[in-house]
Amino acid sequence: MKLWGGRFSKETASLVDDFNASIEFDQKLYKHDIHGSIAHAKMLAKQNIISNQDAEIIIKSLYEILKDIEKGDIEFSIDLEDIHMNIEKLLIDRIGDIGKKLHTARSRNDQVAVDIKLYFKESLCDIQNLIKNLLNVLIEIAEDNIETILPGYTHLQRAQPITLGYHIMAYFQMFLRDYNRLSDCYNRMNYLPLGAGALAGTTYETDRYFLAKELGFAGICDNGMDAVSDRDYVIEFISDASICMMHLSRFCEELILWSTSEFSFVEMDDAYSTGSSIMPQKKNPDLAELIRGKTGRVYGNLMNILTIMKALPLAYNKDMQEDKPPLFDTVETIKNSLAIFIEMIRTMKINKDKMYSAAKTGFMNATDAADYLVSKGIPFRECHAIIGRMVLYCIQNGKAIEELSLNELKSFSELFDTDIYDKIDIICCIEAKKSIGSTSKKSVKLMIKQAKEKLEKIN
Ligand code: ARG
């Protein structure tokens, strides 16, 4: 008979058992369920709801069950629906009636909520550590490439010369925001749902503050109904994960592009690329492509959980059991993607020469040539038009701006003088950027220094 079978006069149909069960996926929560139960048993004893002796027996047996699960000695049963019932049944089988006391002042509704939150706290920590590793690797790459020049793009058209250090530090900012978003999510969810009972609270003199402390929560959920029916943190986490995956995906897209023979800006290490089954010459950036692809999977998980929660009346509804597959999948996907990505960029080869020669073409010093005329007193709009005509002339004559003779330059404006050549030299174009947060070496150095300070603070 089911642990809840008293009110029923028939067994459930076997099709229902399979459909209703979540053990296949929620067994992942075994450790969190056991730790939640141990804290609960301690609290029950402290509050004289069960005896100290019973609590000791329960706790000892729960630890043994934990060990046995970890050894792989336990086979979970679909008939027992979920991880909570499976563990409770194991306990009862091992210690008899005393085991039946554990579920006093508790419902599976607050139990599952606390289990997910415990799993969540652990997973968030793992993910944040990975992001921290990524941030450190980005700083290393940026520091090594403060002087590596490449084209900066808008509309994927060559726009202005920048350094790779600058480009990489843009990603640093993005991933730092991801890190902080996860901290916000953590701080908002870090309240204990256990003790809410099924929805209305319990009739026992429980001590929820004790439980919160035991299980490492900052406080308790103030409203029991909210405690058991809230999955905002799952939604929030998967949204945060979606943004982080989007950042990874944008970066991967650039690396895929940069790995083409047309760009050849980077080359992935052999250990982080794959070959083709038919074309012997191929070396494909599959991992970057896969991370880009897996982003879609995380977005799907977000839609999944948002749709599950939409229109659910208070409080617990069985629909909410479906929160776990998208949550677990997101945690796994983002962890694996980050781990692979970190190693992939750490080991990739950067072709500085290719980047530099690409930056030499495409008239990327055109804005600087216009700025030169501004310094001679011409309004910017007019300079823009003059240089525009000059670029057209260059295209028609197959020349770069810096290849024009002074006479040619003067045919566009009398104000050009020999000092123009310095001003439109690619390194000068970069170093002339004075605004804070720009691509100049001085600015990128400062950016890296500030980034290190920020990293220290979150370490
Ligand atoms: N397996 C369920 C879940 O994951 C546990 C809660 C069941 N509660 C209930 N009232 N049936 O949501």
Side-chain angles (χ1 to χ4, degrees):
M1 198 173 69
K2 299 266 190 312
L3 288 173
W4 42 257
R7 180 235 180 274
F8 290 75
S9 46
K10 253 193 200 171
E11 288 292 317
T12 43
S14 67
L15 211 54
V16 170
D17 282 342
D18 289 351
F19 191 70
N20 196 33
S22 52
I23 186 64
E24 249 177 68
F25 49 84
D26 67 16
Q27 54 183 276
K28 222 186 187 59
L29 297 174
Y30 72 88
K31 195 171 60 186
H32 315 94
D33 193 73
I34 289 176
H35 286 309
S37 288
I38 289 172
H40 185 65
K42 280 188 194 165
M43 185 279 291
L44 292 177
K46 184 181 94 62
Q47 297 301 99
N48 295 320
I49 300 169
I50 63 172
S51 71
N52 280 327
Q53 206 185 358
D54 285 352
E56 267 170 37
I57 295 169
I58 291 173
I59 292 168
K60 187 162 167 274
S61 182
L62 283 170
Y63 275 123
E64 282 163 10
I65 293 171
L66 179 63
K67 232 197 266 155
D68 291 346
I69 296 175
E70 273 167 358
K71 265 197 280 170
D73 287 352
I74 305 281
E75 216 172 288
F76 296 117
S77 144
I78 283 222
D79 288 350
L80 291 162
E81 271 184 65
D82 55 24
I83 189 64
H84 326 293
M85 301 292 247
N86 266 276
I87 289 175
E88 194 180 338
K89 182 71 169 38
L90 281 168
L91 186 71
I92 295 169
D93 286 348
R94 290 181 182 202
I95 60 172
D97 281 352
I98 296 174
K100 293 182 182 164
K101 296 184 181 178
L102 174 64
H103 210 53
T104 316
R106 183 176 80 168
S107 147
R108 255 191 304 161
N109 299 348
D110 54 346
Q111 186 181 357
V112 70
V114 81
D115 289 4
I116 306 173
K117 282 195 170 181
L118 289 174
Y119 162 82
F120 193 79
K121 279 151 70 88
E122 188 182 278
S123 307
L124 222 60
C125 222
D126 293 345
I127 296 167
Q128 284 195 303
N129 281 333
L130 281 162
I131 298 181
K132 242 188 278 176
N133 293 346
L134 172 58
L135 291 171
N136 277 310
V137 169
L138 290 177
I139 288 186
E140 274 169 36
I141 299 178
E143 274 186 319
D144 287 347
N145 289 285
I146 282 190
E147 291 180 5
T148 306
I149 296 172
L150 81 164
Y153 297 84
T154 62
H155 312 269
L156 208 50
Q157 303 289 320
R158 287 180 192 172
Q160 290 185 329
I162 55 166
T163 65
L164 183 60
Y166 182 60
H167 194 118
I168 294 288
M169 287 311 286
Y171 281 107
F172 178 94
Q173 305 300 329
M174 292 148 82
F175 291 112
L176 181 65
R177 285 196 295 275
D178 291 335
Y179 183 96
N180 290 332
R181 246 188 294 274
L182 290 175
S183 300
D184 290 347
C185 174
Y186 185 95
N187 293 333
R188 230 184 320 279
M189 64 71 67
N190 195 16
Y191 293 89
L192 174 91
L194 194 59
L199 75 161
T202 67
T203 51
Y204 301 88
E205 290 282 350
T206 53
D207 184 347
R208 297 187 62 211
Y209 292 103
F210 170 84
L211 276 175
K213 214 163 161 214
E214 271 299 288
L215 293 170
F217 287 91
I220 63 168
C221 296
D222 286 337
N223 178 297
M225 241 183 162
D226 177 49
V228 292
S229 66
D230 169 33
R231 294 292 183 274
D232 288 3
Y233 49 95
V234 180
I235 298 175
E236 204 174 327
F237 163 67
I238 305 182
S239 325
D240 295 349
S242 296
I243 297 176
C244 182
M245 288 299 295
M246 177 268 287
H247 290 156
L248 285 175
S249 182
R250 291 181 74 175
F251 207 155
C252 284
E253 170 66 16
E254 292 200 322
L255 296 177
I256 293 163
L257 211 56
W258 289 0
S259 304
T260 58
S261 345
E262 286 75 5
F263 274 82
S264 297
F265 285 2
V266 293
E267 186 181 340
M268 298 303 155
D269 193 74
D270 278 3
Y272 291 90
S273 349
T274 54
S276 154
S277 61
I278 170 167
M279 297 163 282
Q281 86 285 7
K282 290 291 294 285
K283 180 168 167 184
N284 299 327
D286 285 37
L287 298 168
E289 294 168 67
L290 261 179
I291 295 170
R292 189 177 59 181
K294 282 178 191 288
T295 304
R297 181 183 175 123
V298 174
Y299 290 3
N301 290 338
L302 177 61
M303 272 308 119
N304 186 343
I305 184 67
L306 276 169
T307 315
I308 290 166
M309 294 308 292
K310 170 185 171 295
L312 285 192
L314 296 185
Y316 178 82
N317 299 269
K318 193 62 175 252
D319 315 44
M320 289 158 72
Q321 178 165 284
E322 287 292 310
D323 62 353
K324 283 165 226 51
L327 171 62
F328 295 158
D329 186 72
T330 301
V331 168
E332 288 308 308
T333 306
I334 193 170
K335 271 167 64 170
N336 293 336
S337 301
L338 281 165
I340 289 271
F341 186 80
I342 291 168
E343 286 311 302
M344 188 178 77
I345 60 166
R346 208 177 55 74
T347 54
M348 77 186 171
K349 186 170 157 249
I350 294 164
N351 295 331
K352 298 186 183 184
D353 292 348
K354 287 275 183 190
M355 288 184 172
Y356 184 70
S357 36
K360 293 280 280 179
T361 55
F363 309 105
M364 288 197 297
N365 47 7
T367 316
D368 303 86
D371 286 342
Y372 175 88
L373 291 179
V374 170
S375 75
K376 303 279 172 179
I378 307 182
F380 180 78
R381 263 301 144 238
E382 233 171 90
C383 305
H384 187 288
I386 295 170
I387 305 296
R389 284 195 293 276
M390 190 154 106
V391 168
L392 183 62
Y393 172 85
C394 286
I395 294 170
Q396 285 162 348
N397 292 278
K399 286 184 170 180
I401 299 178
E402 62 275 20
E403 286 167 356
L404 297 179
S405 68
L406 195 56
N407 273 345
E408 281 173 304
L409 287 169
K410 279 193 186 292
S411 72
F412 293 96
S413 166
E414 270 304 316
L415 295 170
F416 280 119
D417 216 331
T418 46
D419 58 342
I420 175 67
Y421 293 108
D422 277 346
K423 296 281 190 245
I424 57 173
D425 171 77
I426 206 159
I427 297 177
C428 294
C429 295
I430 290 176
E431 291 317 315
K433 300 290 181 296
K434 292 203 184 74
S435 56
I436 296 173
S438 73
T439 187
S440 70
K441 189 160 149 187
K442 187 171 153 218
S443 162
V444 174
K445 273 192 168 167
L446 177 66
M447 219 175 278
I448 292 176
K449 184 172 165 276
Q450 289 168 338
K452 283 183 177 170
E453 285 162 10
K454 284 180 189 163
L455 256 185
E456 282 280 283
K457 273 197 206 129
I458 61 173
N459 265 331

